[in-house]
Amino acid sequence: DANEQGIEPYNKFVNEQAALNPSLTGTDDGLRYSVVGSAVGVNAVNNATVWGPVYLFDSTFVAQNHADFWDGSIANPINIDQFGNSVEPTLVFTGSNTIGTKPRGQISHYGLGSYSVTASGYTGATNRDWISKTFSDPIKPLPMYALSPWLIAGQGAVPEPSAALLLLGCSVLLLRRKRENQ
């Protein structure tokens, strides 16, 4: 869910989820993930810093750099989970508008931790809807996007076209919670 205050509970969650498959996500080598999300006190654009090209775990290209990732569109949908599985298009909590900041409106911020509705993206989109399509109930569980600083070829999905890419490439994944029987 997305009803906790601050960004740290969400960063903790995405790292716990990434650790469920450490050989693919690189967490066995100490790699840390950041939620692609905005909450009180921090915007996604600052929490999920992009240093170079962004790829999914299956080597699918997403964005060339920081400006490309946060310009309102991406090259391909973010539709791979922490296990390397393709996921059906679904809503994801982002708490963000198309440029990676908290949306403004009648409700205080629509970010992660909002009490009424939270901005949500859509995994099936490459236009601005990838990060900001609609608003969702923050109590209903939804997946979240996560971004790593970089993965080296052989540890994840960053391909090997150049040394600069190997050092600067980022990876992004969609983290899903296992549904508990109710």
Side-chain angles (χ1 to χ4, degrees):
D1 54 37
N3 62 354
E4 294 186 55
Q5 296 297 306
I7 201 69
E8 286 314 310
Y10 306 104
N11 284 332
K12 181 180 178 199
F13 167 72
V14 298
N15 280 288
E16 288 170 350
Q17 291 299 303
L20 294 175
N21 191 2
S23 61
L24 180 63
T25 62
T27 55
D28 56 350
D29 292 321
L31 195 65
R32 303 279 304 155
Y33 284 78
S34 298
V35 68
V36 180
S38 298
V40 172
V42 67
N43 289 314
V45 68
N46 302 115
N47 189 63
T49 306
V50 176
W51 296 102
V54 179
Y55 293 89
L56 300 178
F57 282 132
D58 67 355
S59 298
T60 300
F61 176 74
V62 175
Q64 185 60 40
N65 52 34
H66 178 88
D68 190 30
F69 191 70
W70 296 112
D71 69 359
S73 66
I74 54 176
N76 289 290
I78 300 170
N79 59 1
I80 302 290
D81 69 13
Q82 69 269 40
F83 302 105
N85 300 318
S86 295
V87 296
E88 293 294 320
T90 187
L91 292 175
V92 294
F93 285 129
T94 65
S96 301
N97 61 22
T98 59
I99 60 170
T101 61
K102 293 177 291 298
R104 303 268 180 230
Q106 293 177 335
I107 297 170
S108 62
H109 61 80
Y110 299 118
L112 300 172
S114 172
Y115 293 108
S116 55
V117 295
T118 300
S120 301
Y122 184 65
T123 63
T126 57
N127 63 6
R128 66 184 185 170
D129 290 350
W130 81 268
I131 192 162
S132 186
K133 178 178 176 69
T134 190
F135 298 99
S136 299
D137 180 345
I139 296 175
K140 177 185 175 190
L142 289 177
M144 293 179 168
Y145 297 126
L147 188 72
S148 73
W150 58 76
L151 289 175
I152 310 250
Q155 290 181 326
V158 179
E160 299 185 38
S162 72
L165 177 62
L166 291 176
L167 297 174
L168 298 175
C170 298
S171 70
V172 66
L173 69 148
L174 174 68
L175 296 167
R176 297 188 298 180
R177 290 186 190 213
K178 287 187 176 183
R179 294 190 182 245
E180 296 179 21
N181 293 333
Q182 297 189 18

